[in-house]
Amino acid sequence: MRKAAAVPLSLLGAGLAGLAYASVVERNAFRLRRFDVPVLEPGQRPVRILQLSDLHLTPGRRMLINWVRSLGDLKPDLVVNTGDSIAHPDAVGPLLHALEPLLSRPGLFVYGSNDLYAPRPKNPARYLWRSSKGDNLQHTPSLPWRELGAGMAAAGWLDMNNTTARIKVGDLDVAVGGIHDSHIDRDRYDLIAGPAPADADLRLGVMHSPEPRNMTLFAADGYQLLLAGHTHGGQLCIPFYGALVTNCGIDRARVKGLSRHDSAYLHVSAGLGTSPYAPVRFACFPEASLLTLVPRRRG
């Protein structure tokens, strides 16, 4: 009987070093990405939207909490939280503490599946060959999502789960349409369907998971800018190749950053956190995004 080949010590050492880097260094190397989005009419003054997503916060993540608090210095015109904010029953207080410097700004939020259902131990490698859709099909939410929403709403942020609203952002009158998370089949686009108000200065669509079927509906209804999260930017990426998976219906090329979907601009945030049971990132730094909306070019 042949003996299994021994793993070279150099290869084992490289693997352990890579795991340490992904779980300790890159996972905590938070970055702010900046984009200009030409969606305004000529002559309108630029406004800045800060998008936060996928913190998956647990109470002990002091570095993440402090970094989010530092974003208050940006003084954005609008803050949009695209979901999966918590990952622990005791995380609502720490999350509101992290957001405190931003809660005085106008804000919007939608939920992700992990705002309702606590993460459970599972083989993290499954992420590479199957979507996590269906993993959270529990009968009763196990996280304090109502308290989470109430805390943000108490500061004046708008709950945009399957609803529409108008909000003043800088000098702009903004029409917003939002949906709940399609990953747990709580999205109800039918509740917001119809042409977005043509008299608004900006028409903004907000969702957690960037499912093409919903993005197509938003664009067809006249929404000009769509914001989503959920993908973690792929979370484990290969340098010069990119994400291996997107964990939803969007293609790998648009797994994070600014792109187009039909007539609309689309921004997908790679997010700031990870599941507590897969606490690694590789070639995909945790991020928040500052989107500066600027006028379109004439002609």
Side-chain angles (χ1 to χ4, degrees):
M1 185 174 179
R2 296 175 63 184
K3 292 184 178 179
V7 177
L9 290 178
S10 59
L11 183 60
L12 179 61
L16 292 174
L19 179 62
Y21 167 80
S23 62
V24 178
V25 179
E26 186 165 323
R27 178 173 172 251
N28 293 298
F30 311 113
R31 295 185 172 184
L32 180 69
R33 301 184 79 196
R34 298 173 184 262
F35 298 92
D36 288 348
V37 190
V39 292
L40 302 184
E41 293 292 335
Q44 290 180 323
R45 292 202 305 179
V47 299
R48 299 187 303 158
I49 297 177
L50 175 66
Q51 184 184 355
L52 305 174
S53 198
D54 296 270
L55 276 76
H56 293 275
L57 191 66
T58 54
R61 295 212 61 196
R62 300 304 312 173
M63 292 178 67
L64 174 55
I65 290 169
N66 290 335
W67 191 83
V68 172
R69 287 183 63 84
S70 75
L71 297 176
D73 294 339
L74 297 172
K75 295 181 169 51
D77 298 294
L78 177 68
V79 184
V80 178
N81 178 357
T82 44
D84 274 4
S85 297
I86 58 175
H88 190 280
D90 298 328
V92 172
L95 177 76
L96 295 177
H97 176 66
L99 295 177
E100 182 184 16
L102 295 165
L103 289 174
S104 61
R105 319 299 298 182
L108 314 167
F109 66 92
V110 292
Y111 295 124
S113 61
N114 289 284
D115 292 320
L116 283 73
Y117 303 108
R120 295 181 291 186
K122 56 191 175 186
N123 178 1
R126 290 196 312 169
Y127 182 76
L128 297 177
W129 70 77
R130 63 178 292 268
S131 165
S132 62
K133 186 174 176 65
D135 287 357
N136 289 310
L137 292 182
Q138 306 166 39
H139 293 296
T140 304
S142 53
L143 289 178
W145 63 275
R146 288 189 176 89
E147 291 85 344
L148 168 66
M152 291 185 284
W157 285 17
L158 301 182
D159 181 341
M160 295 307 306
N161 290 283
N162 298 327
T163 192
T164 60
R166 299 287 281 261
I167 186 172
K168 189 73 171 178
V169 179
D171 294 333
L172 302 182
D173 171 30
V174 179
V176 187
I179 54 173
H180 207 307
D181 189 6
S182 59
H183 219 57
I184 49 174
D185 298 323
R186 289 186 176 236
D187 55 320
R188 290 288 308 277
Y189 195 89
D190 59 295
L191 297 179
I192 69 167
D199 61 340
D201 296 316
L202 173 70
R203 296 173 293 279
L204 176 65
V206 183
M207 70 205 87
H208 177 64
S209 181
E211 291 296 343
R213 60 179 171 83
N214 282 324
M215 298 189 300
T216 295
L217 294 171
F218 273 114
D221 279 341
Y223 289 93
Q224 301 157 284
L225 174 61
L226 312 179
L227 302 182
H230 175 70
T231 66
H232 296 191
Q235 189 165 330
L236 300 175
C237 299
I238 297 176
F240 309 111
Y241 177 80
L244 298 173
V245 295
T246 68
N247 199 25
C248 64
I250 200 171
D251 51 283
R252 290 191 309 104
R254 298 185 296 166
V255 71
K256 67 178 179 179
L258 188 67
S259 62
R260 297 299 296 263
H261 187 86
D262 296 341
S263 59
Y265 281 92
L266 167 69
H267 181 264
V268 179
S269 172
L272 283 163
T274 66
S275 165
Y277 298 108
V280 294
R281 279 181 177 259
F282 189 80
C284 186
F285 287 91
E287 66 179 41
S289 296
L290 188 66
L291 309 176
T292 300
L293 312 189
V294 298
R296 297 186 295 272
R297 290 183 179 179
R298 296 181 185 272

